[in-house]
């Protein structure tokens, strides 16, 4: 197979233009072309208003050796092997009980998916509701402010990523092929095929909700089981020569309002970054963990049309998608400020999961057709900022900010104009930017939420970003807070076998401190499944 890299075409090219470009690049005739597949697509706007699509494409031809002799081009690779992923079942140890996965976010979902596909009959436990009921619970919260503590933006089928933009780009190196396997599985279960080659793929909350439901159906059809409203509240261990080994899980069924014990040989704790009560429970059992750096800040909204013109030029073609962006700045105070989870054509959402504490996030639907662009603008914080060396000090740091946000907005999302934020005065009226927020909001002084070093860093960072995207620091840009759930504030220590010091416990995904988004969490879930399959034989149900 031949791979053409950096194949550039005008932004308005046709499918015929695409094929002609391949033929010209390889110096072949149409009858010699046997097929092609796009591997990557991105937009090059460096010479706007002239815009290009840039492709990497795999091509099959009748005589590759002939093309290799004819064409001399350092952007062409020959004898390329197609990317492939292979899940190996090499384990020989018998499972006494079915493996358990705790959490159905991307890490737990993909771990369960891979184990089910290969005969392990996993049980997936989810404290929240299935995605249909969860959607109703979340929309009711946004409308009336009545928070369901187990079924909300953070908890429920699909995890926190379900109510997001569904962004699937990752910086994780992927020699194993797990990244492409995640995208392939998403596409197989209802996501658009384009996510397998777009440089910044996304699904959107509306489509992602349907995809995770189809993946659950697959798990159940292949011998797995998914139990909703099932929260792990405790663990039981036994000792073998001084080694703690997992024996049972204590589970609270919130629908039946009863507790039961579940025997298991192993449990994958894919619990998500907001499972604070589970972190505390595991800490009480002596599971090794440590605080880790993360970032906190605000959501900022701008007109999407302003961002489009900044990125594409003033007279850009109307068929182009809502433009994304990514911005970073290193400040003189040693802090890093950067944008995170940018949502083109999206909404700010009330993402709270605890009473009297308020957190925000960003979300887009698949069409990305809201009038506003929003992103988190966040400042790095480290354990040195937490005021304690306790492993859960970062959790308390988050909670204090969220309590301040709740008070500042009187239970609603506190909103402020950027100009007022800079002057440390509460906003009393909006400018030309109307907030697009899921949930009730109130004009306030968002700056009051933060320690001064964070507020000053946000101010300076946004002003620096204005030099990169003109209009970014406009006075009527709308900010809201607090963006505190960017990643887990704690890391659950695991060894090369991916197990904790309490054997049989596999910390996994973003909540455990080993991922930073939907795709990397899903990849870590697959990695955990691979490790289990390297030790254990598929589960055999007793007859």
């Amino acid at each position: 197979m031949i791979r053409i890299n950096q194949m550039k075409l005008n932004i308005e090219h046709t499918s015929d233009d695409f094929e002609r470009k391949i033929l010209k690049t390889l110096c072949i005739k149409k009858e010699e072309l046997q097929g092609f597949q796009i591997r990557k697509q991105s937009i090059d706007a460096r010479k706007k208003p002239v815009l290009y699509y840039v492709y990497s494409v795999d091509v099959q031809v009748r005589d590759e050796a002939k093309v290799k002799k004819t064409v001399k081009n350092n952007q062409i690779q020959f004898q390329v092997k197609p990317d492939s992923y292979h899940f190996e079942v090499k384990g020989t140890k018998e499972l006494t009980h079915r493996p358990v996965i705790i959490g159905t976010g991307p890490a737990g979902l993909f771990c369960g998916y891979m184990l089910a596909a290969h005969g392990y009959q996993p049980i997936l436990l989810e404290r929240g509701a299935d995605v249909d009921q969860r959607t109703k619970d979340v929309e009711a919260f946004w409308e009336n402010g009545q928070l369901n503590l187990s079924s909300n933006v953070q908890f429920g089928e699909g995890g926190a990523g379900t109510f997001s933009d569904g962004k699937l780009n990752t910086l994780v190196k992927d020699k194993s092929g797990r990244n492409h396997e995640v995208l392939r599985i998403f596409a197989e279960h209802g996501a658009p095929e384009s996510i397998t080659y777009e440089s910044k793929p996304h699904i959107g909350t509306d489509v992602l909700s349907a995809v995770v439901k189809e993946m659950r159906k697959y798990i159940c059809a292949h011998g797995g089981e998914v139990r909703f409203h099932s929260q792990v509240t405790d663990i039981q261990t036994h000792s073998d020569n001084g080694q703690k080994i997992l024996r049972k899980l204590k589970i609270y069924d919130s629908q039946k309002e009863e507790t039961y014990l579940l025997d298991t040989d192993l449990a994958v704790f894919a619990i998500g970054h907001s499972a604070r009560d589970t972190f505390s429970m595991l800490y009480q059992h002596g599971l090794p963990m440590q605080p880790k750096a993360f970032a906190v800040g605000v959501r900022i909204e701008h007109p999407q049309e302003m961002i489009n013109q900044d990125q594409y030029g003033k007279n850009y073609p109307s068929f182009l998608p809502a433009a994304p962006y990514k911005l970073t700045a290193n400040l003189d105070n040693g802090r890093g400020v950067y944008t995170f989870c940018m949502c083109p054509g999206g909404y700010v959402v009330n993402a709270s999961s605890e009473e009297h504490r308020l957190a925000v996030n960003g979300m887009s639907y698949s069409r990305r057709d809201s009038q506003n662009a929003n992103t988190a603008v966040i400042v790095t914080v480290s354990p040195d900022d937490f005021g304690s060396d306790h492993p859960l000090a970062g959790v308390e740091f988050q909670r204090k900010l969220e309590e301040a946000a709740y008070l500042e907005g009187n239970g609603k999302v506190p909103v402020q104009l950027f100009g007022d934020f800079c002057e440390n005065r509460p906003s009393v009226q909006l400018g030309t930017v109307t907030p697009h927020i899921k949930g009730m909001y109130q004009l306030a002084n968002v700056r009051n939420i933060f320690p001064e070093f964070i507020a000053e860093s946000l101010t300076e960072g946004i002003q620096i970003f204005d030099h990169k995207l003109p209009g970014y620091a406009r006075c009527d840009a709308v900010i809201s807070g607090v963006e505190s759930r960017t990643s887990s504030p704690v890391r659950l220590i695991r060894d090369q076998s991916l197990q904790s010091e309490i054997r049989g416990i596999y910390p996994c995904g973003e909540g455990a401190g080993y991922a930073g988004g939907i795709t990397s969490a899903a990849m870590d879930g697959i990695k955990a499944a691979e490790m289990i399959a390297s030790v254990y034989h598929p589960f055999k149900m007793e007859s």
Side-chain angles (χ1 to χ4, degrees):
M1 185 179 294
I2 300 171
R3 178 166 295 170
I4 305 173
N5 296 306
Q6 296 295 309
M7 191 175 85
K8 186 180 291 189
L9 289 101
N10 185 278
I11 201 76
E12 300 189 64
H13 73 80
T14 65
S15 57
D16 288 340
D17 295 333
F18 192 94
E19 185 175 288
R20 282 194 290 269
K21 183 73 170 182
I22 292 174
L23 299 177
K24 182 178 179 181
T25 302
L26 299 181
C27 300
I28 59 174
K29 296 179 180 179
K30 187 170 183 177
E31 55 267 25
E32 297 177 84
L33 178 64
Q34 295 183 323
F36 61 86
Q37 181 179 14
I38 298 172
R39 304 301 302 176
K40 188 176 181 182
Q41 178 199 65
S42 59
I43 295 175
D44 184 348
R46 290 175 296 177
K47 296 182 180 179
K48 53 181 173 286
V50 180
L51 307 175
Y52 297 95
Y53 274 120
V54 181
Y55 295 94
S56 179
V57 57
D58 287 349
V59 184
Q60 292 175 306
V61 299
R62 190 162 56 194
D63 189 346
E64 184 172 334
K66 176 185 172 184
V67 175
K68 188 175 183 179
K69 288 181 180 179
T70 305
V71 178
K72 303 298 179 185
N73 186 329
N74 59 12
Q75 294 178 344
I76 296 175
Q77 297 171 259
F78 294 95
Q79 297 179 323
V80 173
K81 294 181 180 179
D83 296 336
S84 61
Y85 170 80
H86 180 61
F87 187 96
E88 288 189 277
V89 177
K90 300 183 293 185
T92 58
K93 190 174 180 180
E94 293 293 331
L95 283 163
T96 308
H97 305 285
R98 297 165 72 181
V100 177
I101 294 95
I102 302 163
T104 61
L109 189 65
F110 273 84
C111 183
Y113 185 98
M114 301 306 288
L115 290 178
H118 294 90
Y120 287 84
Q121 302 180 52
I123 297 172
L124 279 71
L125 302 175
E126 170 56 57
R127 73 164 70 191
D130 66 85
V131 73
D132 291 332
Q133 181 59 48
R134 182 188 181 197
T135 299
K136 293 176 183 177
D137 293 336
V138 168
E139 289 177 348
F141 168 60
W142 288 338
E143 184 175 340
N144 60 37
Q146 296 299 307
L147 178 64
N148 185 321
L149 294 177
S150 62
S151 182
N152 48 58
V153 173
Q154 305 297 342
F155 300 135
E157 185 174 20
T162 301
F163 291 93
S164 72
D165 187 64
K167 285 175 289 298
L168 302 175
N169 48 305
T170 178
L171 299 177
V172 175
K173 300 297 182 184
D174 184 39
K175 295 180 180 179
S176 66
R178 295 187 194 107
N179 186 0
H180 193 266
E181 182 69 0
V182 168
L183 300 178
R184 185 196 67 78
I185 290 171
F186 273 139
E188 187 175 288
H189 291 282
E193 191 70 26
S194 58
I195 67 169
T196 62
Y197 58 78
E198 289 176 335
S199 63
K200 295 180 180 179
H202 81 104
I203 298 180
T205 286
D206 47 340
V207 175
L208 187 55
S209 297
V211 170
V212 298
K213 184 161 60 173
E214 290 303 309
M215 290 182 66
R216 181 230 305 168
K217 291 178 181 177
Y218 179 95
I219 290 170
C220 295
H222 288 77
E225 179 184 353
V226 183
R227 301 180 187 178
F228 296 107
H229 309 285
S230 299
Q231 180 179 354
V232 174
T233 59
D234 205 355
I235 62 172
Q236 292 184 7
T237 63
H238 70 277
S239 180
D240 186 357
N241 293 322
Q243 175 73 67
K244 274 188 178 181
I245 301 173
L246 180 67
R247 183 178 180 183
K248 296 177 186 288
L249 300 169
K250 187 177 181 181
I251 300 161
Y252 176 67
D253 185 324
S254 58
Q255 277 198 321
K256 297 179 180 179
E257 296 185 339
E258 63 183 32
T259 298
Y260 65 95
L261 294 174
L262 180 64
D263 294 315
T264 188
D265 300 297
L266 64 92
V268 177
F269 275 73
I271 53 178
H273 57 42
S274 295
R276 294 163 171 173
D277 47 5
T278 309
F279 295 150
S280 182
M281 178 271 290
L282 293 173
Y283 174 77
Q284 294 300 321
H285 281 279
L287 187 142
M289 59 183 68
Q290 62 188 27
K292 62 178 278 292
F294 58 102
V296 296
V298 297
R299 281 270 150 187
I300 186 166
E301 296 182 73
H302 299 92
Q304 182 63 53
E305 179 60 24
M306 184 195 91
I307 302 299
N308 289 350
Q309 291 190 27
D310 280 346
Q311 297 291 70
Y312 297 147
K314 288 190 176 181
N315 298 311
Y316 63 92
S318 60
F319 61 79
L320 287 179
Y325 62 83
K326 184 177 181 179
L327 301 168
T328 63
N330 293 314
L331 308 183
D332 291 340
N333 64 10
R335 303 277 173 179
V337 179
Y338 57 99
T339 60
F340 171 81
C341 188
M342 191 268 155
C343 298
Y347 298 84
V348 174
V349 303
N350 188 331
S352 304
S353 62
E354 294 181 329
E355 294 282 9
H356 306 298
R357 298 187 177 106
L358 191 145
V360 296
N361 194 12
M363 181 187 88
S364 295
Y365 296 113
S366 56
R367 291 170 62 95
R368 287 180 162 178
D369 56 1
S370 159
Q371 292 182 345
N372 285 0
N374 79 74
T375 188
V377 179
I378 49 180
V379 181
T380 52
V381 292
S382 72
D384 290 340
D385 300 309
F386 301 160
S388 166
D389 59 0
H390 192 282
L392 299 179
V395 171
E396 293 309 309
F397 186 88
Q398 289 176 323
R399 280 176 163 160
K400 288 178 182 177
L401 294 177
E402 291 169 16
E403 288 164 6
Y406 185 91
L407 290 172
E408 187 62 33
N410 292 316
K412 302 174 184 178
V413 175
V415 165
Q416 186 177 22
L417 304 188
F418 178 62
D420 292 333
F421 184 89
C422 293
E423 298 297 327
N424 194 18
R425 63 185 177 223
S427 291
V428 295
Q429 65 180 21
L430 296 169
T432 58
V433 182
T434 300
H436 281 54
I437 295 178
K438 296 288 186 178
M440 296 176 281
Y441 66 87
Q442 178 174 300
L443 290 171
N445 188 349
V446 174
R447 193 182 184 108
N448 284 342
I449 298 169
F450 299 104
E452 191 59 21
F453 78 88
I454 292 178
E456 284 295 332
S457 296
L458 291 171
T459 301
E460 184 179 351
I462 291 170
Q463 290 169 342
I464 291 172
F465 295 161
D466 192 76
H467 299 300
K468 302 176 182 181
L469 287 180
Y472 202 85
R474 56 191 289 169
C475 290
D476 65 347
V478 175
I479 63 171
S480 52
V482 55
E483 178 87 22
S484 53
R485 312 283 183 93
T486 56
S487 66
S488 181
V490 61
R491 177 171 285 112
L492 310 183
I493 306 301
R494 68 188 189 189
D495 61 18
Q496 290 186 340
S497 72
L498 304 191
Q499 293 181 80
S500 165
E501 201 172 90
I502 301 177
R503 310 313 280 175
I505 289 182
Y506 290 73
C508 179
E510 185 166 345
Y514 296 96
I518 292 173
T519 305
S520 60
M523 291 166 65
D524 200 54
I526 292 176
K527 187 177 178 181
E530 292 169 352
M531 184 60 69
I532 291 166
S534 74
V535 176
Y536 292 96
H537 190 271
F539 181 75
K540 294 180 181 179
M541 192 79 75
E542 291 184 7
S543 57

PDB file of all heavy atoms in Angstrom, residues 490-503:
ATOM      1  N   VAL A 490      -6.281  13.416  41.994  1.00  0.00           N
ATOM      2  CA  VAL A 490      -5.602  12.359  42.734  1.00  0.00           C
ATOM      3  C   VAL A 490      -5.184  11.261  41.764  1.00  0.00           C
ATOM      4  O   VAL A 490      -5.814  11.071  40.715  1.00  0.00           O
ATOM      5  CB  VAL A 490      -6.528  11.786  43.839  1.00  0.00           C
ATOM      6  CG1 VAL A 490      -7.789  11.184  43.236  1.00  0.00           C
ATOM      7  CG2 VAL A 490      -5.818  10.772  44.698  1.00  0.00           C
ATOM      8  N   ARG A 491      -4.093  10.589  42.083  1.00  0.00           N
ATOM      9  CA  ARG A 491      -3.671   9.417  41.295  1.00  0.00           C
ATOM     10  C   ARG A 491      -3.671   8.196  42.207  1.00  0.00           C
ATOM     11  O   ARG A 491      -3.060   8.201  43.280  1.00  0.00           O
ATOM     12  CB  ARG A 491      -2.285   9.616  40.693  1.00  0.00           C
ATOM     13  CG  ARG A 491      -1.778   8.376  39.933  1.00  0.00           C
ATOM     14  CD  ARG A 491      -0.503   8.650  39.147  1.00  0.00           C
ATOM     15  NE  ARG A 491      -0.772   9.426  37.957  1.00  0.00           N
ATOM     16  CZ  ARG A 491      -0.372  10.678  37.757  1.00  0.00           C
ATOM     17  NH1 ARG A 491       0.349  11.294  38.697  1.00  0.00           N
ATOM     18  NH2 ARG A 491      -0.661  11.325  36.649  1.00  0.00           N
ATOM     19  N   LEU A 492      -4.380   7.155  41.774  1.00  0.00           N
ATOM     20  CA  LEU A 492      -4.399   5.882  42.480  1.00  0.00           C
ATOM     21  C   LEU A 492      -3.229   5.059  41.959  1.00  0.00           C
ATOM     22  O   LEU A 492      -3.196   4.696  40.785  1.00  0.00           O
ATOM     23  CB  LEU A 492      -5.717   5.151  42.255  1.00  0.00           C
ATOM     24  CG  LEU A 492      -7.003   5.962  42.493  1.00  0.00           C
ATOM     25  CD1 LEU A 492      -8.238   5.078  42.312  1.00  0.00           C
ATOM     26  CD2 LEU A 492      -7.006   6.588  43.884  1.00  0.00           C
ATOM     27  N   ILE A 493      -2.268   4.776  42.820  1.00  0.00           N
ATOM     28  CA  ILE A 493      -1.008   4.170  42.379  1.00  0.00           C
ATOM     29  C   ILE A 493      -1.243   2.735  41.892  1.00  0.00           C
ATOM     30  O   ILE A 493      -1.919   1.941  42.551  1.00  0.00           O
ATOM     31  CB  ILE A 493       0.026   4.158  43.526  1.00  0.00           C
ATOM     32  CG1 ILE A 493       0.200   5.577  44.093  1.00  0.00           C
ATOM     33  CG2 ILE A 493       1.364   3.609  43.038  1.00  0.00           C
ATOM     34  CD1 ILE A 493       0.644   6.600  43.101  1.00  0.00           C
ATOM     35  N   ARG A 494      -0.683   2.421  40.738  1.00  0.00           N
ATOM     36  CA  ARG A 494      -0.729   1.059  40.200  1.00  0.00           C
ATOM     37  C   ARG A 494       0.662   0.662  39.717  1.00  0.00           C
ATOM     38  O   ARG A 494       1.486   1.517  39.389  1.00  0.00           O
ATOM     39  CB  ARG A 494      -1.750   0.934  39.076  1.00  0.00           C
ATOM     40  CG  ARG A 494      -1.404   1.683  37.790  1.00  0.00           C
ATOM     41  CD  ARG A 494      -2.554   1.667  36.802  1.00  0.00           C
ATOM     42  NE  ARG A 494      -2.155   2.199  35.503  1.00  0.00           N
ATOM     43  CZ  ARG A 494      -2.983   2.458  34.495  1.00  0.00           C
ATOM     44  NH1 ARG A 494      -4.296   2.249  34.650  1.00  0.00           N
ATOM     45  NH2 ARG A 494      -2.533   2.934  33.349  1.00  0.00           N
ATOM     46  N   ASP A 495       0.913  -0.651  39.659  1.00  0.00           N
ATOM     47  CA  ASP A 495       2.227  -1.130  39.239  1.00  0.00           C
ATOM     48  C   ASP A 495       2.188  -1.571  37.775  1.00  0.00           C
ATOM     49  O   ASP A 495       1.234  -1.275  37.044  1.00  0.00           O
ATOM     50  CB  ASP A 495       2.719  -2.256  40.158  1.00  0.00           C
ATOM     51  CG  ASP A 495       1.791  -3.472  40.145  1.00  0.00           C
ATOM     52  OD1 ASP A 495       0.968  -3.612  39.212  1.00  0.00           O
ATOM     53  OD2 ASP A 495       1.881  -4.295  41.082  1.00  0.00           O
ATOM     54  N   GLN A 496       3.221  -2.282  37.332  1.00  0.00           N
ATOM     55  CA  GLN A 496       3.300  -2.674  35.926  1.00  0.00           C
ATOM     56  C   GLN A 496       2.200  -3.646  35.528  1.00  0.00           C
ATOM     57  O   GLN A 496       1.878  -3.759  34.344  1.00  0.00           O
ATOM     58  CB  GLN A 496       4.679  -3.284  35.637  1.00  0.00           C
ATOM     59  CG  GLN A 496       5.808  -2.263  35.669  1.00  0.00           C
ATOM     60  CD  GLN A 496       7.138  -2.847  35.237  1.00  0.00           C
ATOM     61  OE1 GLN A 496       7.329  -4.061  35.269  1.00  0.00           O
ATOM     62  NE2 GLN A 496       8.054  -1.992  34.832  1.00  0.00           N
ATOM     63  N   SER A 497       1.625  -4.329  36.503  1.00  0.00           N
ATOM     64  CA  SER A 497       0.503  -5.223  36.209  1.00  0.00           C
ATOM     65  C   SER A 497      -0.815  -4.452  36.169  1.00  0.00           C
ATOM     66  O   SER A 497      -1.879  -5.052  35.976  1.00  0.00           O
ATOM     67  CB  SER A 497       0.415  -6.336  37.245  1.00  0.00           C
ATOM     68  OG  SER A 497      -0.049  -5.843  38.494  1.00  0.00           O
ATOM     69  N   LEU A 498      -0.744  -3.131  36.343  1.00  0.00           N
ATOM     70  CA  LEU A 498      -1.880  -2.210  36.396  1.00  0.00           C
ATOM     71  C   LEU A 498      -2.744  -2.421  37.636  1.00  0.00           C
ATOM     72  O   LEU A 498      -3.871  -1.930  37.702  1.00  0.00           O
ATOM     73  CB  LEU A 498      -2.750  -2.308  35.131  1.00  0.00           C
ATOM     74  CG  LEU A 498      -2.053  -2.080  33.784  1.00  0.00           C
ATOM     75  CD1 LEU A 498      -3.080  -1.941  32.669  1.00  0.00           C
ATOM     76  CD2 LEU A 498      -1.159  -0.855  33.813  1.00  0.00           C
ATOM     77  N   GLN A 499      -2.223  -3.126  38.643  1.00  0.00           N
ATOM     78  CA  GLN A 499      -2.949  -3.349  39.878  1.00  0.00           C
ATOM     79  C   GLN A 499      -2.453  -2.429  40.988  1.00  0.00           C
ATOM     80  O   GLN A 499      -1.297  -2.008  41.009  1.00  0.00           O
ATOM     81  CB  GLN A 499      -2.791  -4.796  40.345  1.00  0.00           C
ATOM     82  CG  GLN A 499      -3.438  -5.824  39.439  1.00  0.00           C
ATOM     83  CD  GLN A 499      -3.260  -7.226  39.999  1.00  0.00           C
ATOM     84  OE1 GLN A 499      -3.985  -7.653  40.898  1.00  0.00           O
ATOM     85  NE2 GLN A 499      -2.295  -7.941  39.460  1.00  0.00           N
ATOM     86  N   SER A 500      -3.354  -2.176  41.911  1.00  0.00           N
ATOM     87  CA  SER A 500      -2.987  -1.477  43.126  1.00  0.00           C
ATOM     88  C   SER A 500      -2.223  -2.418  44.047  1.00  0.00           C
ATOM     89  O   SER A 500      -2.116  -3.618  43.800  1.00  0.00           O
ATOM     90  CB  SER A 500      -4.255  -0.970  43.816  1.00  0.00           C
ATOM     91  OG  SER A 500      -3.993  -0.592  45.138  1.00  0.00           O
ATOM     92  N   GLU A 501      -1.731  -1.840  45.122  1.00  0.00           N
ATOM     93  CA  GLU A 501      -1.111  -2.650  46.175  1.00  0.00           C
ATOM     94  C   GLU A 501      -2.131  -3.629  46.770  1.00  0.00           C
ATOM     95  O   GLU A 501      -1.768  -4.694  47.267  1.00  0.00           O
ATOM     96  CB  GLU A 501      -0.575  -1.716  47.259  1.00  0.00           C
ATOM     97  CG  GLU A 501       0.487  -2.312  48.141  1.00  0.00           C
ATOM     98  CD  GLU A 501       1.100  -1.262  49.063  1.00  0.00           C
ATOM     99  OE1 GLU A 501       0.565  -1.089  50.186  1.00  0.00           O
ATOM    100  OE2 GLU A 501       2.081  -0.608  48.647  1.00  0.00           O
ATOM    101  N   ILE A 502      -3.413  -3.259  46.731  1.00  0.00           N
ATOM    102  CA  ILE A 502      -4.481  -4.209  47.071  1.00  0.00           C
ATOM    103  C   ILE A 502      -4.736  -5.011  45.802  1.00  0.00           C
ATOM    104  O   ILE A 502      -5.320  -4.516  44.842  1.00  0.00           O
ATOM    105  CB  ILE A 502      -5.759  -3.494  47.542  1.00  0.00           C
ATOM    106  CG1 ILE A 502      -5.468  -2.636  48.779  1.00  0.00           C
ATOM    107  CG2 ILE A 502      -6.851  -4.520  47.859  1.00  0.00           C
ATOM    108  CD1 ILE A 502      -6.657  -1.830  49.261  1.00  0.00           C
ATOM    109  N   ARG A 503      -4.259  -6.244  45.785  1.00  0.00           N
ATOM    110  CA  ARG A 503      -4.293  -7.031  44.554  1.00  0.00           C
ATOM    111  C   ARG A 503      -5.735  -7.310  44.138  1.00  0.00           C
ATOM    112  O   ARG A 503      -6.621  -7.538  44.955  1.00  0.00           O
ATOM    113  CB  ARG A 503      -3.534  -8.351  44.728  1.00  0.00           C
ATOM    114  CG  ARG A 503      -2.145  -8.195  45.300  1.00  0.00           C
ATOM    115  CD  ARG A 503      -1.343  -7.097  44.616  1.00  0.00           C
ATOM    116  NE  ARG A 503      -0.770  -7.506  43.344  1.00  0.00           N
ATOM    117  CZ  ARG A 503      -0.117  -6.688  42.529  1.00  0.00           C
ATOM    118  NH1 ARG A 503       0.006  -5.399  42.842  1.00  0.00           N
ATOM    119  NH2 ARG A 503       0.400  -7.137  41.404  1.00  0.00           N
TER     120      ARG A 503
END
